[in-house]
Amino acid sequence: MDLINRINYTSFLGREFLTWLWYRSDTREGLFKIDDNTVEVWFDAKLTLEAQGDLKESNVVKAENPTDTDEARAALLTGKLVTEARLRVIVEQKQWGATVKADNIGLSSVKLPALLSREDDDQLYERFFLMEEMEDILDALFDQFIAVRLNDSTWKKEINAIRSWIHNVD
Amino acid sequence: MGALSGNVTTTAYYVDGEVPEGFRETFVDAMNKNSFTDIDLALDHDESMGWVSITDPFDSELTIEKFVWGDYLMAAIRHDVVRLPATAFKFHLQKALAERREKEGRERLTKAEIDDTRDFLERQLKKRVLPSIKTHDLVWNVPRKELWFWTTNKKVNELFVDLFEDTFQIKIYEKNPYSRLERMEESERLIARALEIEPSSMAAQPSKGGA
């Protein structure tokens, strides 16, 4: 399989990742463990869900907590997956806002935590450091998803738990 | 909004391969060979793209001091385009054709004459139009082998990748689930597995009794 086809074939992992992230955030009070840190991940402001396959149908939910809306839950029930999400990420005293797109697990409209440095040069280093920290957090979350997703036995349990969550079954 | 201030909207890339010995000097020379130059209307060009300083879009003479910043390499791509507003051009063309018909005392012009009038008018009017100027910042963390390019526009990213690879002779790959797998430990195994599995139906009914 050539590179373009490999990229296209595996693109579904981005959508499953964001949907899994919603499930995990919702069921674990937003808390994730990354190395020795506890990271909070919440879904803010805007959530986009799209149908899979040839059907071009989408729901764009704009609300303070879009994942709590009936519209978002109904979209999940019809089989739509998250293709774009606005996240709020908190580590210790630092908070980022970022829009994540499933197709390239890319960050856009990132609002960085307030800078603590005073000098221009130090501020620029701090800015890039904070950007990299956000990238690292997102990468670590994706890696956690992959560890579960690409293992048959862990995914069997996880997907059943996700389905129970979607259908609101204990 | 760019690398130096404001909100961050970027396309992230992974850098494939190592930078050469003495890369700072080599890269600055290479960027100056591909630096921005004004649109050459005499050659019927409509656009121009090239490297400029990240702090000054009118500065296309790069030096190490302007480009290297600790572990980071920073520059901008400037992309100028000359575009004639379509409706205004249409009116000017109608006027020019009417004047030519009157001058030559004919009711109709040939297709070649119409094309000739259009081409001439286009060249004349482009000299009077200010090109649009857009700049997009690049920040490259060399040891991390990652870079950010400050736009998510698909076409501009395609042009950026071509310019970057021509300038630095290094391949870059946009970040996506596949390229992330390539960077992970046991990447071969993970990729092979990812290519075997199929998307899950997350909305299917859960099975009773758990897994």
Side-chain angles (χ1 to χ4, degrees), chain A residues 6 9-10 16 76 104 107 109-110 121 127 131-132 135-136 139 143 149-150 152 155 160 163 166-167, chain B residues 2-3 5-6 8-9 69 72 141 144 148 174-175 178 180 193 197-198 200-204 207 210:
Chain A
R6 287 173 169 226
Y9 187 84
T10 53
E16 288 192 359
L76 270 184
N104 60 2
L107 296 167
S109 305
V110 178
D121 273 9
R127 182 173 162 81
M131 284 171 62
E132 284 161 2
E135 292 262 8
D136 287 345
D139 285 347
D143 294 356
R149 181 62 176 92
L150 297 188
D152 268 345
W155 187 243
N160 204 58
R163 286 168 178 163
I166 288 176
H167 289 275
Chain B
S5 65
V8 174
T9 289
W69 203 70
Y72 297 97
N141 184 324
R144 204 174 144 100
W148 298 302
E174 190 178 332
K175 188 174 178 182
Y178 183 81
R180 177 70 201 149
R193 185 74 191 122
I197 62 173
E198 293 199 0
S200 289
S201 169
M202 288 193 166
S207 53

Side-chain angles (χ1 to χ4, degrees), chain A residues 6-87:
Chain A
R6 287 173 169 226
I7 291 170
N8 288 338
Y9 187 84
T10 53
S11 63
F12 73 90
L13 290 170
R15 297 185 291 270
E16 288 192 359
F17 163 60
L18 287 183
T19 310
W20 169 89
L21 197 66
W22 173 6
Y23 155 71
R24 281 282 183 107
S25 171
D26 198 50
T27 55
R28 299 184 186 196
E29 297 177 345
L31 298 173
F32 293 79
K33 201 93 179 125
I34 295 176
D35 298 325
D36 294 327
N37 292 315
T38 299
V39 176
E40 283 180 64
V41 179
W42 302 102
F43 284 68
D44 259 359
K46 186 179 165 191
L47 185 72
T48 303
L49 298 101
E50 288 182 15
Q52 308 312 297
D54 296 328
L55 199 61
K56 299 287 176 209
E57 208 180 281
S58 66
N59 288 75
V60 178
V61 183
K62 289 180 186 174
E64 201 175 317
N65 300 305
T67 47
D68 288 346
T69 62
D70 291 341
E71 186 184 351
R73 297 305 296 241
L76 270 184
L77 273 166
T78 63
K80 294 192 181 87
L81 298 182
V82 179
T83 52
E84 188 175 310
R86 180 82 189 155
L87 301 181

Side-chain angles (χ1 to χ4, degrees), chain A residues 142-169:
Chain A
F142 183 74
D143 294 356
Q144 286 184 12
F145 163 71
I146 286 293
V148 172
R149 181 62 176 92
L150 297 188
N151 178 307
D152 268 345
S153 76
T154 53
W155 187 243
K156 206 169 164 186
K157 284 186 197 145
E158 190 84 340
I159 187 69
N160 204 58
I162 293 172
R163 286 168 178 163
S164 300
W165 169 74
I166 288 176
H167 289 275
N168 213 15
V169 169

Side-chain angles (χ1 to χ4, degrees), chain B residues 10-11 46 57-58 62 68 79-80 84 97 122 127 131 137 146 158 160 167 180-181 199-200 202 205 209:
Chain B
T10 59
T11 302
D46 286 343
F58 294 95
L62 290 163
V68 177
H79 185 203
D80 283 15
L84 295 175
L97 292 172
E122 222 178 281
K127 289 178 196 169
D137 293 346
E146 291 178 14
E158 284 169 11
F160 160 67
T167 303
R180 177 70 201 149
L181 289 175
S200 289
M202 288 193 166
Q205 285 290 341

Side-chain angles (χ1 to χ4, degrees), chain B residues 103-155:
Chain B
K103 185 179 169 196
E104 300 191 11
R106 287 190 277 143
E107 280 191 21
R108 298 177 74 83
L109 299 172
T110 66
K111 187 177 181 308
E113 286 166 336
I114 293 170
D115 288 346
D116 183 60
T117 306
R118 177 188 289 110
D119 290 347
F120 178 78
L121 183 67
E122 222 178 281
R123 279 197 297 277
Q124 294 305 113
L125 290 179
K126 276 180 180 172
K127 289 178 196 169
R128 288 157 50 178
V129 169
L130 269 183
S132 73
I133 299 177
K134 287 199 173 134
T135 60
H136 307 285
D137 293 346
L138 157 72
V139 173
W140 178 1
N141 184 324
V142 176
R144 204 174 144 100
K145 298 176 79 168
E146 291 178 14
L147 64 86
W148 298 302
F149 183 55
W150 253 260
T151 180
T152 52
N153 180 291
K154 200 170 170 206
K155 180 170 179 244

